[in-house]
Amino acid sequence: MKFGLRLRGGLLATLIMFGAPVVAPVGAVFVSSSALAQTVQSISVEGNRRVEVETIRSYFKPGPGGRLDQGAVDDGLKALIETGLFQDVRINRGPGGQIIVSVVENPVIGRVAFEGNKKIKDEQLTTEVQSKARGTFSRAMVQSDTLRIAEIYRRSGRYDVRVTPEIIEQPNNRVDLIFTVEEGAKTGVKSIEFVGNNAFSSYRLRDVIKTRESNLLSFLASGDIYDPDRVEADRDLIRRFYLKNGYADVQVVAALTEYDPEKKGFNVTFKIEEGAQYRVGAVDFRSSIPNFDPSSMRGYSRVHAGSLYNVESVEKSVEEMQIEASRRGYAFAVVRPGGDRNFEAHTVSVVFNIDEGPRTYIERINLRGNTRTRDYVIRREFDISEGDAYNRALVDRAERRLKNLDYFKSVKITTEPGSSSDRVILVVDMEEKSTGDFSISGGYSTTDGALAEVSISERNLLGRGLFAKASVTYGQYARGYSLSFVEPYLLDYRVALGLDLYQRQQLSNSYISYGTKTLGFSPRLGFSLREDLSLQLRYSIYQQEITLPYYLANCNNNAGSAFNPSPAFAAANGIDLSGTNGLGCYSDGEASLPVRKELANGKTLTSALGYTLTYNTLDNNKNPTDGLLVDFRQDFAGVGGDVSYLKSVVDAKYYTPLVSDIVGLVRLQSGMLNKMGSDLRMLDHFQMGSNLVRGFAPNGIGPRDLNPFGTQDALGGTKYWGASLELQMPFWFLPKEVGLKGAVYADAGGLYDYKGPTSWTTTNEVNAPGCIPSTINPSSTGTCTGLVYDDSKVIRSSVGVGLIWQSPFGPLRFDYAVPLSKGKYDRTQEFRFGGGTTF
């Protein structure tokens, strides 16, 4: 950073001012004590234009008897200089030893302007500097403002900034102050190194911190811009990471930064002393509170003997124990963890001490910085209120909840002394941030083709903590819109109410011969049962219909039609045109019987109740490396409507770190559809493909219509299962910031047991069910029982490789899989691509 000062207009007095010492200004005259036998009122003042004489005299404090001595004059001189109102202050002796104070007043600032600033607006700089229009010009203040402007640019990554204050003299002792800014280029982080890390690779640790190395795509993010505060925060992130993994003695000794003039960027080096890895030896519970059974807290402990020592587990155990003790009536109970290290066995024996804490009450909860968010939105995140016993665990929980709202840049809860020794005041300091989003997204997948979406959302609607979103989607094969609304606190209870209205249209493509139109509405309730366990209850009502091109639904069932296979062709190909098959139900390339029957049924209404139970211990929801995620869903259709069934689905994913930054993933999934009353529709069945076993086309697995003259649609199944093993690994030769990972995997699964319609009674009437009127191919009377389909219980399996890119444009994934086993009529798709972006 560079800054300087230059004068415009030849203001010599200002130049003198900037060179004048603060304590002893040029021209100051100190008179002897023999000439000071005077009172304050006898002081003469010269050169003042705006500052009153009496104001200047007031800085000279007389001694005993109202007389001025040398010390009083010295103190008065210093006090006048420190006011910043004057360029120069001199004390001279007049006739008869009279004290004469000669001053040169600082000019008044006419205007403050900025030149050369393109990256930071004038409005922001104006609010940051202390020099204001119509205020007094001060050298110290200008120097401070210069440093402040440079600091603002430094925070945005521009360390080569040059700020020069310029002063233009104006009539009537006024000046214009202009800050000329040479912004320079952004200063990035060119390298991040770690010293002393043996347990974890540098590649793994780079994923822990927020600072990133500069790369070709850095212009799309800001993590590579050097920020000393961020680097300091990264030290704590590294320390917390080690403490989570058993390294109780870890120290991040230093974070060294060095500017490299050749690379024009910073090199950052973290020095780490890991220490040994510890496991939990014994876990004990002790209490000094009468009639309190400490062993009753064992069920709230997340620390178990033999497990890896984890500071976060200890902290969460303390929080849950303290909250539970408060619920039992021990409002002032305090849980303090203790640890006894065994350096030889590398174990830590953990003791939770439950003691009576000080009897302190919350006098007030003061909120600061929430200019937009309503007070009640913040206060409802507290499980304690004014007048309650002070509980640090509940305060920490409230702070964590406020941060998770994502309404604020920062949240900090501190305490201040109350009106008495047993009272405290909670102070919540917040800095709000923008909570609205407008995005235009684009993507492509081998299933849906090109896709674009425009959406607008607000996480803190009207400052009331409400969520609202509207989106419109338009693509090659998928189109629609959706409206969503969430009230996170229904009737002031910690229950989230969600409302969703949607319309979706899926067009026919190379994987399905028919299109679908769905219009639905779904209210839902969300409950957080525990930090890692949540429940959602929902009701869904939607109307669905199938669309088909005319030539796939013309009900041509006439043996004399030219479109039907000739007897010779039928005999040569083993096609039975007689008996109960109703002329074989073959035609001129029609859609499968269940599809045409869905078309005949017209619009179908589904009304269903359902729930989802989710267990989540993932370390990172976006890029997990450790933990378990289990979803169990059930939906019961038949609460009114036209269909009835019970659908159950379970999906479990387990991530675990292996060696050398390789992450293992095991996924198990299964589903079952049960008939509850009316016949099952084809559309109610599970449709599986690459979402179950990679290497297969969408809807490429399971029961399929075998009509050689039809579209051979996938019919779906009522049961499925799937298992996947995957290893995800980084490309060590690429920078971490590129975000590329490789994957190898093996999949297996199956879909079977079709229970949809296999026959269909038609009439010879115009507009008969399922028929589009045609004078060429009129419908005929009969029962079509000719659905022949494959439902073999073959295990489908595949192996493949994948490329995963957490790109600035959004997550992208490329997969190439080769089926090892498949059904006779399955359809494969070895390459698969999917991804999207927001811009």
Side-chain angles (χ1 to χ4, degrees), residues 698-719:
N699 298 357
I701 292 175
R704 184 175 299 278
D705 179 15
L706 300 184
N707 181 352
F709 301 101
T711 54
Q712 296 188 334
D713 294 292
L715 304 177
T718 58
K719 300 181 181 70

Side-chain angles (χ1 to χ4, degrees), residues 51-62:
V51 184
E52 299 290 338
V53 171
E54 291 303 322
T55 301
I56 296 175
R57 287 175 176 170
S58 67
Y59 287 92
F60 295 88
K61 307 299 182 183

Side-chain angles (χ1 to χ4, degrees), residues 3 38 252 319 404 460 492 520 539 613 672 698 811:
F3 65 91
Q38 300 180 43
V252 183
E319 180 180 299
N404 290 338
N460 187 14
D492 290 331
Y539 170 72
L613 190 63
M672 180 176 292

Side-chain angles (χ1 to χ4, degrees), residues 231-249:
V231 172
E232 192 61 29
D234 286 340
R235 289 183 61 185
D236 187 60
L237 290 175
I238 295 171
R239 176 178 169 274
R240 297 284 298 181
F241 175 75
Y242 271 93
L243 289 175
K244 283 175 54 179
N245 288 277
Y247 293 87
D249 299 325

Side-chain angles (χ1 to χ4, degrees), residues 52 67 113 267 279 317 342 384 479 516 555 601 659 709 781:
E52 299 290 338
R67 316 298 290 181
N267 299 322
R279 290 191 172 272
S317 300
N342 185 325
I384 51 177
R479 297 164 189 175
T516 58
C555 295
N601 292 336
V659 295
F709 301 101
T781 304

Side-chain angles (χ1 to χ4, degrees), residues 16-17 20 25-28 86-90 102-106:
I16 295 175
M17 180 200 70
V26 176
F86 308 102
Q87 290 183 27
D88 189 20
V89 181
R90 300 169 182 265
S102 299
V103 297
V104 178
E105 293 180 348
N106 274 328

Side-chain angles (χ1 to χ4, degrees), residues 281-296:
V283 182
D284 195 13
F285 304 84
R286 301 171 186 173
S287 173
S288 62
I289 302 176
N291 302 321
F292 188 95
D293 181 13
S295 62
S296 64

Side-chain angles (χ1 to χ4, degrees), residues 29 116 122 143 250 382 411 487 516 533 582 618 783:
V29 177
D122 288 0
Q143 289 177 327
V250 66
F382 286 81
V411 178
E487 163 57 85
T516 58
L533 189 64
L618 297 181
T783 299

